[in-house]
Amino acid sequence: MVKAIAVVTVSDSCFTDPAKDTSGPTLAGFAKQLFPDATLHTIVIPDEKDIIERELLYFSDEANVDLVLTTGGTGLSRRDVTPEATKAVIHRDVPAISVAMTIDSLQKTSMAMLSRSVAGIRNRTLIINFPGSKKAVTECFEVVKPVLSHAVGLLTNDEIEVKGTHDKVQGFVCHHKHGMANSCVDISKVAFRPRESPFPMVEMSEAFAIIDEVMQQWSLSLEVVPIGDSLGRVVAEAIYAKEPMPPFPASMKDGYACISSDGAGVRRVRAALTAGDAPTMPLSFGECVRINTGAALPARADCVVQVEDTKLVSASEDGQTELEVEVVVPPRPQQDVRPIGCDIAMGAVLADKGAILDAAMIGVLAGAGYQNVTVRSKPKVALMSTGNELQEPSELQLKPAHVRDSNRTMLRVLLKEHGFDSIDCGIAQDEPTKLVSAISTSLSQADILVCTGGVSMGERDLLKPVLVKDFGATLHFGRVRMKPGKPSTFATCEFQGRKKYVFALPGNPVSAYVCAHLFLLRALRQCCHLPPFLAIRVRLAHAAALDARPEYARATLRYPTTDDLPKATLIMPNQCCHLPPVLAIRVRLAHAAALDARPEYARATLRYPTTDDLPKATLIMPNQCCHLPPFLAIRVRLAHAAALDARPEYARATLRYRTTDDLPKATLIMPNQSSSRLLNSAGATVLLQLPGATDTTTQLEPGAVVTAYLIGRPY
Ligand SMILES: Nc1nc2c(c(=O)[nH]1)N[C@H]1C(S)=C(S)[C@@H](COP(=O)(O)OP(=O)(O)OC[C@H]3O[C@@H](n4cnc5c(N)ncnc54)[C@H](O)[C@@H]3O)O[C@H]1N2
Ligand code: MOO
C-alpha cells in the first residue's frame, strides 16, 4: 500500500515564485487521485544538487515516503542536475521506467530525446524523475501509473518476508490475504473458560510507564503542511527568518519624521508619508515629513516626534497642507523608530524544533513569507466498536436487546477535539473470524487501532484472545487498577511488516471515554511530541464517595473569588459507568467524602479562586455571541520580575505547574512585549493582567500574584 508520496518540484524560477509551478501541482493531483489515502508532501526547491540530494534523502530516510516524484531539472542546461542528484542517492537504478517514459514521449515529440530522467530505489523508496512541463508530466505519469502500486508493494514485500518468518514463529497467520478469515480462537468450550482473569492488575503509574516506553518505538515521520492547516502541529525543524522585520526603519507613532540634531523648534513640513509610501528624497536639516504609524522613514531621518508634541506654525489657506510645525520637546535619536530587524532579526528562530504551532506563531510564519511548514506526522487511528448488541446510531428503530453504538461517535469527536483524525472501521460482531477480518481491515489502514468492548470476562469477550492467537500480539497490559476501565488493554503486533498499536478499551461508554483520555490521548500526544495533560490542584466542592479502585471522576471547576484553589463538584454522585469531561488535577475536597474499599476516581466539578480585586464581569473577548463562557481567570505567581508599563498590560506568558507549588508559575514569553512583535505572543497560554505602573511601583517582583486569563490549552 502506498502510504506517503513526495512531489518535489526542482526549478530555480518556481523556487523564486511558487505560483509559476504548474508541473508540481499536476503531478501531485495525479498522485492523490491514484492513491487517495496516501499522505502527500509537496516542496519546491532550486536547481542545486546539494539541496536536491538533501531533500531526496530526507523523504526516503526520515519521512519514509514510498514514492518520490521529482519534476524539472532533467534537461541539458548547466543548471539541470536532478538526474545527477538522484543517481547520488539511489542504491539501485530501475532504468526501464525512464526508458518507457522516453519511448512514449518520443511518439509525441523528438524533444523527448533531451530528457535525462532517472528512476531508482533508495531503501524502500522509489524515486522517479519527471520532466519539468505540465504536458510532459501528464504524458509520463500515464506511462508509469500502472506499475506504481505494484512496484511499491514489491519494495515493501522485502520486509514482509522477514516479518512473515517472525509471525509464523509466534503462530500468526495472515488471514486477510486469503479472502475468508480464520481464527485460532475456540469458543465452543464455554464451560472451561477461565474463572479468574489471567491478566495481572497493573497500577496506573505502571500502565502510564508502559505506554510511554512502548510508544517510543513509534517511528517518527514528517510531513509538509500549509501554514493555515498547521494549528497545534509540532514543528519538525527550526524555521529561520529569511529577512528582517521590519524590513525598513518604521515609525511607531503618527507624527513627524525629523533629524534629532535639529533639536526643538520650527521645521518645514516637506511632505507626507502614509504606511505603504516609499520615501523618495532624503530629509534635509530643518525639515520634517509628516508620517503615520508603520510608514517608512525617509533617509537621514533618525526620530519621530508624535503629533501630540508639536504645534502648527503655518498652513496653506485651504488648510489642506501643513507648511511649518514646531517641535516642542527636543527629540532623542531613534525616538519612536523601529529600526530594521528590531522585531525579528534576519536569521532569527521563528519557530523552534518541537514548538507547538499556535495562532501567533503561524502569524509570524505568514509575515515571514512561509507558506508551508514541516511538522511531525500524526499517527493514523482506526476506530472500531465490537458487540453483537450494537446497531448504527443512524438507525431510528432499536432492535430487541440492542443499543446504539455511541462509542465510535464519541471517540471520533474526542479525537477531533484534540486534533486527531480517525478512520471509521464500523462495528465488528463478537465472533472470532469476524473480529479477525475487521481487525485486519483496520490495521491495514492505520497505525493505531482503538476498539471498544469485548475485553472483559464474558464468553463473547474475544478481543484479547484474537489479538494474541490470531495476530501474534503482545499484550502489554490487560487489566488496570482503576475505575472506570479495569479491563483496559494495550497491545502491539506486527502487521504487514509494520508495528501496530492497539488500545482495546472497555465497552462501557464512560470507561471508553475516560480511558481514551488517560491512555489513548497520552499515547497520541507522545507520538507527536506533545506534553501530557497539565495536572493542577483543586478542592472538592462536596463529599465524594471513594471506590476500592482509584477513580477518574468527571467534574467541573468553579472559581469563587475567595478560595485559594478551584472547587471541584462531581457531575453526579452516582458515577456508574455511563457519564462524561476531563482534566487530571489535584484538588482539595470542599466537603467530606466517603471512601469505598477500592480507591475511586469520582466525578466532580471544580471551582477556582481568583483575587478579590479581579474585575468581576469583564469579558476579555466577547465570546458571548455563541453563548460561550468567558476565558477562565486564575491566579498565578510571576516566575520572575516584570517591569510595569504606565498602562495596565495584558502580557503573553506560559504557565508551569508543580504539585508542590501553591499556584502555577507564569513566565513572560519575551521581556520585550512590544505590540509590533508577534513573536512575543507565540506559544502563550495565558494573558497576564499586569497593573499599570505607579510612582512607587514600577515593577512586580518574582512570586507576585497576578490574574491570568487562559487563552489556550494550558500546556
Ligand atoms: N465477570 C466480570 N464481568 C465484568 C468485569 C469483571 O471484572 N468480571 N468487569 C466489568 C467492567 S469493570 C467493565 S468496564 C466491563 C467491560 O466490558 P467489555 O469491555 O467486555 O465490554 P462489553 O461487555 O462488550 O460491553 C459492556 C457494556 O458497554 C456497552 N457497549 C459496548 N460497546 C458499546 C458501544 N460501542 N456503544 C455503546 N455502548 C456500548 C455494552 O452494551 C455493555 O452494556 O465489563 C464488566 N464485566
Ligand atoms: O472498570 Mo468498569 O469501567 O468500572 O465498569
Side-chain angles (χ1 to χ4, degrees):
M1 195 172 104
V2 177
K3 294 191 149 190
I5 306 167
V7 172
V8 181
T9 303
V10 186
S11 155
D12 288 334
S13 60
C14 295
F15 181 67
T16 318
D17 179 5
K20 285 189 182 150
D21 182 15
T22 54
S23 62
T26 304
L27 200 47
F30 290 143
K32 196 71 198 162
Q33 215 174 0
L34 190 60
F35 304 110
D37 292 331
T39 309
L40 182 65
H41 309 261
T42 57
I43 188 170
V44 182
I45 54 176
D47 291 289
E48 291 288 346
K49 186 163 173 277
D50 290 353
I51 296 177
I52 305 169
E53 279 179 31
R54 193 188 68 199
E55 293 305 324
L56 294 180
L57 289 175
Y58 162 69
F59 281 122
S60 47
D61 295 358
E62 288 185 61
N64 282 330
V65 307
D66 303 297
L67 264 181
V68 179
L69 311 177
T70 71
T71 165
T74 60
L76 301 188
S77 90
R78 201 178 44 82
R79 298 279 297 160
D80 287 332
V81 288
T82 308
E84 284 66 35
T86 307
K87 279 183 204 153
V89 301
I90 57 176
H91 299 137
R92 290 182 293 160
D93 58 353
V94 189
I97 291 183
S98 342
V99 170
M101 292 198 298
T102 310
I103 290 173
D104 187 84
S105 302
L106 280 171
Q107 291 168 15
K108 288 148 190 141
T109 167
S110 49
M111 291 297 165
M113 276 184 266
L114 306 182
S115 171
R116 305 182 300 114
S117 295
V118 166
I121 298 158
R122 180 178 174 84
N123 296 327
R124 297 189 326 103
T125 305
L126 177 61
I127 305 174
I128 305 176
N129 298 156
F130 287 81
S133 80
K134 185 176 172 181
K135 180 169 175 291
V137 158
T138 308
E139 290 164 4
C140 292
F141 193 81
E142 275 304 306
V143 176
V144 298
K145 192 168 140 183
V147 302
L148 288 181
S149 180
H150 188 57
V152 170
L154 288 172
L155 289 174
T156 323
N157 262 341
D158 281 348
E159 210 169 300
I160 285 179
E161 287 302 314
V162 178
K163 299 294 179 194
T165 314
H166 172 79
D167 291 335
K168 272 187 203 129
V169 172
Q170 293 198 25
F172 167 56
V173 188
C174 186
H175 308 272
H176 71 288
K177 276 191 153 182
H178 315 298
M180 182 63 191
N182 297 316
S183 172
C184 304
V185 177
D186 178 7
I187 54 169
S188 61
K189 301 195 174 63
V190 60
F192 303 135
R193 72 180 152 148
R195 304 264 141 191
E196 283 291 327
S197 170
F199 299 100
M201 182 91 91
V202 302
E203 295 296 332
M204 281 302 276
S205 54
E206 210 180 325
F208 287 152
I210 290 171
I211 291 176
D212 293 351
E213 191 193 326
V214 172
M215 293 317 294
Q216 306 247 329
Q217 295 161 19
W218 162 258
S219 51
L220 170 71
S221 63
L222 309 178
E223 63 185 299
V224 180
V225 296
I227 56 168
D229 299 337
S230 68
L231 182 65
R233 305 299 298 266
V234 178
V235 175
E237 299 158 350
I239 306 167
Y240 300 95
K242 294 179 285 190
E243 57 200 20
M245 181 72 135
F248 49 80
S251 173
M252 288 169 75
K253 293 279 174 70
D254 298 320
Y256 299 87
C258 303
I259 298 172
S260 59
S261 60
D262 282 344
V266 176
R267 282 165 170 77
R268 187 170 78 80
V269 183
R270 206 190 61 207
L273 287 173
T274 54
D277 292 343
T280 45
M281 274 165 48
L283 210 56
S284 300
F285 290 107
E287 283 183 344
C288 67
V289 162
R290 196 170 73 234
I291 196 162
N292 286 347
T293 307
L297 265 67
R300 274 205 219 126
D302 69 344
C303 63
V304 171
V305 179
Q306 62 177 7
V307 66
E308 294 91 330
D309 294 339
T310 63
K311 285 182 186 158
L312 179 68
V313 176
S314 61
S316 62
E317 273 182 18
D318 58 7
Q320 288 185 3
T321 315
E322 292 172 327
L323 299 176
E324 287 172 311
V325 291
E326 183 189 342
V327 169
V328 181
V329 187
R332 286 169 286 107
Q334 294 308 313
Q335 168 180 301
D336 284 337
V337 176
R338 285 159 58 216
I340 292 174
C342 78
D343 292 333
I344 301 174
M346 180 127 100
V349 176
L350 299 176
D352 213 347
K353 182 175 175 176
I356 303 166
L357 287 157
D358 62 11
M361 238 178 265
I362 294 169
V364 167
L365 296 183
Y370 282 94
Q371 291 166 39
N372 297 304
V373 53
T374 306
V375 295
R376 288 172 183 272
S377 296
K378 295 180 198 175
K380 284 192 180 158
V381 184
L383 293 180
M384 186 180 92
S385 294
T386 69
N388 292 344
E389 80 282 26
L390 299 180
Q391 64 181 66
E392 286 295 337
S394 54
E395 290 176 53
L396 292 184
Q397 196 65 43
L398 265 180
K399 295 176 202 147
H402 276 60
V403 292
R404 291 191 189 88
D405 173 7
S406 59
N407 285 352
R408 250 181 323 142
T409 307
M410 178 270 289
L411 290 172
R412 178 170 53 79
V413 176
L414 175 69
L415 288 175
K416 192 88 210 145
E417 184 190 353
H418 288 268
F420 295 96
D421 292 328
S422 55
I423 304 161
D424 185 350
C425 292
I427 300 170
Q429 299 293 298
D430 291 322
E431 207 273 309
T433 54
K434 293 202 167 136
L435 278 175
V436 167
S437 166
I439 294 174
S440 298
T441 309
S442 309
L443 290 182
S444 66
Q445 300 177 71
D447 308 298
I448 296 181
L449 167 61
V450 183
C451 48
T452 59
V455 286
S456 197
M457 295 292 288
E459 73 271 27
R460 288 283 161 176
D461 289 336
L462 300 168
L463 240 299
K464 286 166 176 160
V466 164
L467 283 172
V468 172
K469 293 190 179 159
D470 294 321
F471 290 87
T474 305
L475 294 198
H476 300 284
F477 57 77
R479 255 187 342 148
V480 188
R481 204 169 77 90
M482 66 169 302
K483 184 182 174 183
K486 187 172 63 180
S488 293
T489 299
F490 174 47
T492 51
C493 64
E494 298 286 339
F495 188 81
Q496 294 180 346
R498 305 227 175 198
K499 186 159 197 118
K500 306 285 175 174
Y501 304 81
V502 182
F503 288 86
L505 307 179
N508 274 327
V510 181
S511 312
Y513 178 82
V514 169
C515 294
H517 278 93
L518 294 171
F519 303 131
L520 173 63
L521 287 174
R522 184 183 186 95
L524 289 174
R525 292 177 66 81
Q526 186 172 322
C527 293
C528 303
H529 281 227
L530 291 164
F533 290 129
L534 182 79
I536 65 164
R537 291 188 305 165
V538 300
R539 259 180 232 289
L540 275 182
H542 52 77
L546 300 183
D547 191 274
R549 290 174 279 165
E551 180 162 2
Y552 289 87
R554 285 72 66 203
T556 57
L557 290 184
R558 297 184 68 197
Y559 302 80
T561 51
T562 45
D563 297 338
D564 59 338
L565 289 173
K567 283 265 167 64
T569 304
L570 297 199
I571 297 282
M572 281 188 183
N574 171 5
Q575 295 248 323
C576 73
C577 306
H578 303 280
L579 271 174
V582 141
L583 190 61
I585 52 180
R586 296 246 321 247
V587 302
R588 233 181 262 282
L589 285 179
H591 47 78
L595 303 186
D596 189 280
R598 294 177 291 170
E600 179 165 359
Y601 289 87
R603 279 69 70 204
T605 56
L606 294 182
R607 309 183 81 199
Y608 200 86
T610 52
T611 48
D612 288 340
D613 59 352
L614 186 73
K616 293 231 167 32
T618 310
L619 294 189
I620 285 290
M621 279 180 199
N623 275 345
Q624 290 127 316
C625 338
C626 310
H627 285 246
L628 292 167
F631 290 123
L632 288 183
I634 63 168
R635 286 192 311 162
V636 299
R637 267 184 213 287
L638 283 182
H640 51 75
L644 300 181
D645 192 276
R647 289 175 285 166
E649 182 164 0
Y650 289 89
R652 279 74 65 206
T654 54
L655 291 187
R656 200 198 55 195
Y657 195 84
R658 295 208 187 112
T659 42
T660 46
D661 296 337
D662 62 337
L663 290 175
K665 288 253 168 67
T667 305
L668 294 198
I669 297 280
M670 282 185 182
N672 174 354
Q673 293 251 334
S674 116
S675 55
S676 61
R677 196 178 200 205
L678 192 52
L679 264 182
N680 64 37
S681 304
T685 54
V686 290
L687 288 180
L688 280 192
Q689 192 181 27
L690 301 179
T694 61
D695 290 346
T696 49
T697 312
T698 55
Q699 81 163 29
L700 292 184
E701 298 307 323
V705 175
V706 294
T707 296
Y709 292 91
L710 295 177
I711 55 167
R713 286 190 176 272
Y715 37 74

